[in-house]
Amino acid sequence: MSVGNSLHPLRYSFVTIGFEGDAGLLHLQARSMRLYCPPELIEEIIIVDNSSPGSRRKWQGELLYQYGDLASFVRIIPAANIAAMSTDTDGWLTQQVLKIEIASIVRSERYVVLDAKNHLTARLGREFLETLIGQPRMSGISYAGHPMQEFLERTLVYLDLDPKAHIGWFTRTDTPFAMLTNEVRELVRHLEQREGRPFASVFLDGILSEFFLYSGFLMSKGSLWQIYNRTQEREPQVWPDNADEKGCAAAIQKATQTGCPFMTVHRRALARMEEKGQRLMAEFWHARGLFASTKDGIRFLRDPNRIHQNYGGQVVSWPISMIVSHFSSPAETDSPNSAELAP
């Protein structure tokens, strides 16, 4: 495992699997990366478009606009270019396959998987991703009684590991998650040789889970804890079941006290967030420079996909946003135009 050094520190690829329905959150994520992700950490930024066939692509150009000077790092790639899957396969499953199969085109030794629900609220330092000696960090939880317990058990059984030995603590099943590119490629080769068919088919038929599969594969080789350090801080999270004032306040308090750079806010949490929770979150985002004002943050929270977010985080609600978006399209701004937009 390469760990880099002070003269040649590792750069990371940042990979987000998204679709048109996550456009608002993806724009927020891009703006947060522009504000808080140092360019010296970045090898590339890959956005895998997992939208349904025939979906509009306007959101992609606006996404590059939000990345600003980081747009030169960005590649936007259709999911079909990464893995062949039936169009009627559930998106929650296809995005898991894509997080693994993307390793085939990643240019760096490590890549950080993100979802649209992740964004930065503080500077992303190298210390969040790795230890002083370059060992990648990860975290984990107990899966006893957890909604993902069945997935963990099924995945570990597939890998000939004893689930009972690991239910009490196993690696996280959500993002951000740093992966070693060559280890992921080896995992794909191993499963395809073992089963004699494409990885996507193996994964979907087995109803497996991507991060459990990756971590379990390393564990089966006896290398998981030789590679990873378990001390990564868990980011504050807002899910649909804690999207009230109390839950938002707890997430903000954790972000403030721990300095963890990432925050997770699920799109379904936005729909459930009550007025007091919206105000708390909007005030926090404004204080971190993600929105131009608290009112702009509230407009976003009320309907993230029916608004236009400008470069500085000002928000115009639909239908005015349709007019504003037209006259402030990325092609007419000073945003970089060197990003690769895959066909």
Side-chain angles (χ1 to χ4, degrees):
M1 178 187 69
S2 176
V3 296
N5 56 58
S6 58
L7 294 178
H8 301 285
L10 291 175
R11 289 176 177 260
Y12 289 76
S13 295
F14 292 84
V15 176
T16 298
I17 316 297
F19 74 114
E20 185 182 21
D22 275 337
L25 283 169
L26 290 169
H27 294 163
L28 171 60
Q29 181 185 93
R31 192 160 61 253
S32 79
M33 292 281 285
R34 166 165 53 87
L35 292 172
Y36 289 119
C37 187
E40 59 267 24
L41 281 180
I42 304 172
E43 176 67 31
E44 60 183 340
I45 298 169
I46 301 176
I47 310 298
V48 180
D49 182 4
N50 200 27
S51 302
S52 301
S55 298
R56 297 173 58 196
R57 298 180 64 188
K58 181 180 179 181
W59 65 272
Q60 297 181 3
E62 295 179 348
L63 183 67
L64 295 176
Y65 170 54
Q66 292 293 342
Y67 273 110
D69 289 342
L70 297 185
S72 60
F73 291 106
V74 178
R75 290 194 283 164
I76 301 179
I77 303 173
N81 288 16
I82 306 301
M85 292 177 278
S86 171
T87 56
D88 61 1
T89 305
D90 186 275
W92 183 69
L93 295 173
T94 61
Q95 54 95 12
Q96 294 186 55
V97 171
L98 293 167
K99 290 171 183 176
I100 297 293
E101 296 235 45
I102 193 65
S104 64
I105 67 164
V106 165
R107 296 169 179 164
S108 58
E109 295 180 25
R110 301 176 186 178
Y111 65 100
V112 178
V113 180
L114 302 174
D115 286 328
K117 63 180 178 284
N118 306 126
H119 58 274
L120 291 167
T121 63
R123 184 183 183 277
L124 177 59
R126 185 173 295 276
E127 67 277 2
F128 178 78
L129 300 171
E130 60 188 54
T131 65
L132 289 174
I133 61 170
Q135 190 178 20
R137 297 185 192 270
M138 67 157 50
S139 62
I141 61 171
S142 169
Y143 288 93
H146 192 278
M148 291 296 292
Q149 180 178 344
E150 182 180 348
F151 283 87
L152 175 58
E153 292 173 341
R154 182 165 50 243
T155 303
L156 293 181
V157 167
Y158 176 79
L159 294 167
D160 299 319
L161 296 171
D162 179 12
K164 294 180 181 178
H166 304 292
I167 293 298
W169 195 97
F170 205 73
T171 56
R172 67 182 300 167
T173 185
D174 52 6
T175 54
F177 196 110
M179 309 183 83
L180 274 63
T181 307
N182 285 337
E183 295 290 350
V184 180
R185 292 172 180 170
E186 183 184 343
L187 165 64
V188 172
R189 287 194 300 268
H190 174 74
L191 264 61
E192 290 185 338
Q193 292 171 2
R194 167 177 162 172
E195 303 292 349
R197 53 198 173 109
F199 172 81
S201 173
V202 175
F203 186 93
L204 295 172
D205 289 350
I207 319 177
L208 306 175
S209 179
E210 82 278 50
F211 298 134
F212 292 158
L213 184 64
Y214 169 74
S215 300
F217 175 66
L218 295 180
M219 185 171 287
S220 71
K221 298 197 305 175
S223 61
L224 180 63
W225 301 129
Q226 294 176 10
I227 294 174
Y228 281 93
N229 176 284
R230 310 188 211 191
T231 60
Q232 189 174 66
E233 182 74 43
R234 290 277 290 186
E235 83 283 1
Q237 301 178 342
V238 181
W239 295 88
D241 60 356
N242 72 330
D244 54 10
E245 181 183 12
K246 181 179 178 181
C248 291
I252 293 167
Q253 182 180 36
K254 182 173 183 179
T256 303
Q257 291 180 347
T258 65
C260 182
F262 279 101
M263 174 175 274
T264 290
V265 181
H266 195 278
R267 68 175 181 275
R268 287 198 290 270
L270 303 184
R272 292 193 179 190
M273 198 174 291
E274 59 186 28
E275 185 175 343
K276 291 182 179 179
Q278 287 181 345
R279 176 160 291 279
L280 285 175
M281 190 60 63
E283 288 174 348
F284 175 70
W285 279 341
H286 169 51
R288 296 301 170 101
L290 294 171
F291 288 96
S293 70
T294 298
K295 287 184 178 179
D296 288 304
I298 290 173
R299 290 191 188 103
F300 170 85
L301 285 163
R302 286 175 177 168
D303 200 341
N305 288 337
R306 289 171 68 86
I307 50 90
H308 171 73
Q309 304 174 59
N310 77 5
Y311 193 80
Q314 292 176 315
V315 172
V316 181
S317 300
W318 187 91
I320 299 175
S321 65
M322 303 297 289
I323 302 171
V324 173
S325 177
H326 174 75
F327 286 104
S328 62
S329 63
E332 301 173 7
T333 69
D334 58 357
S335 62
N337 57 12
S338 57
E340 175 181 345
L341 190 60

